[in-house]
Amino acid sequence: MSDKRQRARVQGSWAKQLPKHTRPTGAVPNNCQPKNASSAPGSWGCGPQKTPKTFEFHQPAKPVRDVPPEKVIEQAGGHEISHGPSGVSRLQLLPGFLPPEEADWMFSKLLAELPWSQKTNYRQGEAYEEPRLTCWYGELPYTYARSTMAANSQWHPLLLTLREAVEQATGCKFNSLLCNLYRDGHDSIGWHSDDEASLGDKPTIASLSLGDTRVFSLRKQPPPEENGDYTYVERIRVPLSHGTLLLMEGATQDDWQHQVAKEYHDRGPRINLTFRTIHPEPGGPQAGDQASLHCQTTVNSPQSGT
């Protein structure tokens, strides 16, 4: 027992804490005392002191610019949307080009009877399927996005009737038609210009909408000094409802891009008929009959029965 008590005493002495030195209440450590009376308020001299910095305003390197508000075009008639750099860009909008009853049965017939298919395009060597269905009519093939749609001269009779009505209303002649079917709000077409060489210089394109309303958006091409930045460009949105005709003419394809964006709420199907004139390319196939390049700029209402 004596050995155990001895070991306990020794171990207890190792575990004994050193006595603490008490400091008067409110005392501050010597290394945190103010260095002199001129010290800045709130500085207690703990560690190295930094000279307080004052705020200095520096003029931004680039001027601050506001993003221009998006314009909305809903009123029928002609709209000059820009005057450069390539010329005057114009839109002609005619809501109600087709009476609702005619537009209804035309939509149902075209939806059921046109040869809709999903086109495969190529971007940077990668293949992708277009997020919509299409079909093509014309005596010449049409190539865009590195993929070609074969010539198809077997026009649906209803499309011939609509082409005649559009030509009469716009004063333009068209020899080709690209049909787009947006099955729901998830179908779309991204930013682009219809500026293929086969469309010629400053092409006129007539777009007829059937079905649910979708927003047709446009944005101005940025000037060279913007290095492809679209942040501060002009933007326009045009809601295209059932039976509406839109004409794009002048420098619109040179100076603007357009799209139909995805929408994340319920949208029914929409058919978009884009009448255009295709020209034979050098060394390419030749069409038997080329449409006239002359177009008037006034849009008139179609005669009854078209």
Side-chain angles (χ1 to χ4, degrees):
M1 291 296 293
S2 60
D3 292 339
K4 290 182 180 180
R5 290 192 184 98
Q6 183 64 28
R7 285 197 298 270
R9 290 192 188 98
V10 174
Q11 291 172 356
S13 65
W14 290 345
K16 186 181 296 183
Q17 296 182 355
L18 296 174
K20 294 183 179 179
H21 297 285
T22 59
R23 184 183 295 114
T25 304
V28 180
N30 291 335
N31 63 341
C32 289
Q33 292 289 348
K35 292 183 177 180
N36 51 57
S38 63
S39 298
S43 173
W44 287 92
C46 297
Q49 298 298 299
K50 295 182 179 180
T51 304
K53 293 184 177 180
T54 58
F55 175 77
E56 296 181 6
F57 175 78
H58 296 281
Q59 190 71 24
K62 294 183 178 180
V64 177
R65 295 186 291 171
D66 293 328
V67 176
E70 187 179 49
K71 301 177 182 177
V72 179
I73 294 179
E74 296 179 291
Q75 185 176 358
H79 304 268
E80 292 189 355
I81 57 176
S82 67
H83 292 81
S86 304
V88 178
S89 299
R90 291 183 298 271
L91 300 179
Q92 301 272 359
L93 182 65
L94 189 58
F97 174 77
L98 295 175
E101 297 79 9
E102 290 187 16
D104 287 345
W105 75 262
M106 288 180 177
F107 171 76
S108 299
K109 192 171 183 65
L110 296 177
L111 181 64
E113 297 181 7
L114 293 191
W116 301 107
S117 64
Q118 192 162 27
K119 183 172 177 278
T120 300
N121 293 338
Y122 297 89
R123 183 192 299 119
Q124 298 179 349
E126 297 291 332
Y128 68 95
E129 291 187 334
E130 285 185 327
R132 62 192 179 281
L133 305 183
T134 57
C135 56
W136 171 254
Y137 292 90
E139 295 185 8
L140 288 169
Y142 182 41
T143 300
Y144 68 92
R146 302 180 182 274
S147 178
T148 299
M149 306 181 80
N152 176 18
S153 59
Q154 302 301 312
W155 286 66
H156 189 288
L158 179 54
L159 295 178
L160 291 174
T161 301
L162 287 171
R163 184 177 75 174
E164 182 180 353
V166 170
E167 289 177 342
Q168 184 174 357
T170 63
C172 297
K173 293 292 184 180
F174 302 103
N175 66 2
S176 305
L177 170 62
L178 177 62
C179 308
N180 295 282
L181 172 58
Y182 300 85
R183 295 161 291 185
D184 53 33
H186 297 289
D187 275 1
S188 64
I189 184 169
W191 288 112
H192 71 286
S193 298
D194 294 325
D195 55 0
E196 292 80 19
S198 61
L199 293 173
D201 183 46
K202 293 180 173 51
T204 296
I205 296 176
S207 172
L208 179 60
S209 296
L210 298 168
D212 207 348
T213 299
R214 294 292 293 268
V215 173
F216 182 77
S217 301
L218 300 101
R219 67 180 183 182
K220 188 82 179 292
Q221 296 276 17
E225 58 269 20
E226 296 289 352
N227 297 316
D229 184 1
Y230 286 84
T231 303
Y232 300 103
V233 301
E234 299 173 68
R235 294 175 184 266
I236 298 172
R237 63 198 306 262
V238 186
L240 296 177
S241 57
H242 190 40
T244 295
L245 178 65
L246 174 70
L247 195 70
M248 295 183 285
E249 54 187 351
T252 304
Q253 305 304 325
D254 296 323
D255 294 343
W256 294 77
Q257 290 184 331
H258 54 271
Q259 72 163 356
V260 176
K262 296 181 185 295
E263 298 188 20
Y264 296 95
H265 50 272
D266 290 340
R267 285 294 186 195
R270 170 186 180 252
I271 292 175
N272 175 230
L273 306 177
T274 56
F275 296 92
R276 56 193 70 203
T277 297
I278 295 291
H279 304 274
E281 299 185 30
Q286 303 293 309
D289 182 25
Q290 284 299 299
S292 169
L293 298 180
H294 176 69
C295 288
Q296 299 175 359
T297 57
T298 302
V299 177
N300 305 307
S301 299
Q303 294 183 354
S304 177
T306 59

